[in-house]
Amino acid sequence: PATGELLASFEPHTRAEIEEKLQLAVETFRAYRRTSHLARSAMLLRVSALLEAEKHRYSRLITLEMGKPFAAAVREIEKCARVCRYYAGESASFLADEFIQTGAHASYIRYEPLGAVLAVMPWNFPFSQIIRVAAPALMAGNVILLKHASNVPQCALAIEELFERAGFPVGALQTLLIGSAEVACVIADERVAAVTMTGSESAGSIVAAQAGRYIKKTVLELGGSDPFIVMPSADIAEAAHTAVRARTLNSGQSCIAAKRFIIAAEVYEEFAGRFVAGMEALRVGDPFDAATDIGPLATERALLALDAQVRAAVDAGARLVTGGVRLDRPGFYYAPSVLAEIPTNAPVAREELFGPVAMLFRVHSLEEAIRLANETSFGLGASAWTNDEEESAQFISELEAGMVCINGLVASDPRLPFGGVKRSGYGRELGVQGLLEFVNLKTVVIQNRLAPKSLSAEEQSGETVEV
């Protein structure tokens, strides 16, 4: 992405190779599901340790393939390591039998793995998106089939190698080098138990329909057009500074990046002045240069799509405050841009802009801010800035989003569930909820007291037996 040069090319897996991988997934699952939580935790901690020890190698691969500034890629790998440590430490308690008092001698919920989970993953966070799916799924006893975005095959193969080096059995996490046309066949295969997907709204709709045909569990984390609301009581300087970071995270290529900046009229001019100055001060350039704030977009197709949206906004009556052009240099670079006075009935006012382009809206009341924030088909995250307790409570209650952040940046945290509503998808990643998405909640009822079994020689001696 930084130069437009071809780095490498890969042959897709053949039908025969896909068949081998599916069969290996099933065979691996039969044995792996019986491993102890302690053994799985040890393997996942080794994944975390390898990520930390080799973060610069993995970060370089991310930057080469999808263009993210190297410093941001390092932060992504560090976050992956934290996710692994979190699930290694907490999963045993999350998956413990949950006893419920009934009239029976014993009744409880047991959490059991489903099998092979197909993970259809995007390029924008090529390591963290799959790690936050794989870590809880593997701790629950599932195995993973990774269909990564076609422009990050080296990341996909490196992730498979990473888990094998950490001690996970061959077949616990496998990469499928396949195009989108092959995904339907994999979903249809009876050896695939469930599907999780992060990507665009259109791709999510297709995957959900394919999985629904075969009655398979799905989790979808799709697009967003997140609002960033600023009220008069807010700290305007802090809000504007954070707004620049919120819009340009990963060069603007993030589903939870703030995209629509909805500003109270009383503070609009001050916020806009600070925000535009901040956007214009960003340095665009070589993603391996430590001084770079904004790298290239991941593909030329993404660049052209973003430019078309900006042109459509201007044609609809929006005012281009700054930017709005592809930079005249090799690679897929787009200038940090700000649009203002966008007609609220223009399609672009409700769309997702995947790149460093922000939209400014002026509102005259809290109710108008909430109404405008909710006037989109998406509902992923929302950030609201206010120092008024009643306003804060109203934002929390009325914003239609899977996550609401007051006076801060919307960001995922492994301890908290993450996901959206409306066309931003369904289901949750991360937290205990993310782990329980791909388990069978098996209800067990024992009506009478059972006779104790005879202990084996090993059990009598106090030794433990692990598969």
Side-chain angles (χ1 to χ4, degrees), residues 80 91 140 153 213 218 414 442 445:
C80 290
S91 294
R213 181 178 179 184
T218 53
K442 179 181 284 184
V445 179

Side-chain angles (χ1 to χ4, degrees), residues 23 62 101 119 132 166 173 249 264 326-327 329 379 415 417:
Q23 189 56 35
I62 291 172
Q101 189 67 42
R132 72 194 209 175
L173 189 154
L249 174 71
R326 176 178 183 169
L327 298 184
R329 57 180 296 172
R415 298 163 294 186

Side-chain angles (χ1 to χ4, degrees), residues 193-212:
V195 185
T196 180
M197 188 219 161
T198 298
S200 68
E201 175 189 352
S202 58
S205 177
I206 293 170
V207 166
Q210 292 166 344

Side-chain angles (χ1 to χ4, degrees), residues 28-35 40 43 138 141-142 168-169:
T28 302
F29 173 66
R30 292 187 187 124
Y32 178 71
R33 68 175 300 179
R34 292 178 172 82
T35 57
R40 296 174 200 166
M43 290 184 280
L138 288 166
N142 297 296
F168 281 93

Side-chain angles (χ1 to χ4, degrees), residues 150-200:
S150 296
N151 59 324
V152 289
Q154 294 175 99
C155 287
L157 293 169
I159 291 164
E160 178 179 327
E161 178 198 36
L162 167 67
F163 278 82
E164 290 182 7
R165 288 172 58 205
F168 281 93
V170 176
L173 189 154
Q174 299 181 81
T175 284
L176 301 177
L177 293 181
I178 58 176
S180 56
E182 297 293 332
V183 172
C185 295
V186 177
I187 292 174
D189 195 287
E190 62 182 10
R191 290 165 292 189
V192 173
V195 185
T196 180
M197 188 219 161
T198 298
S200 68

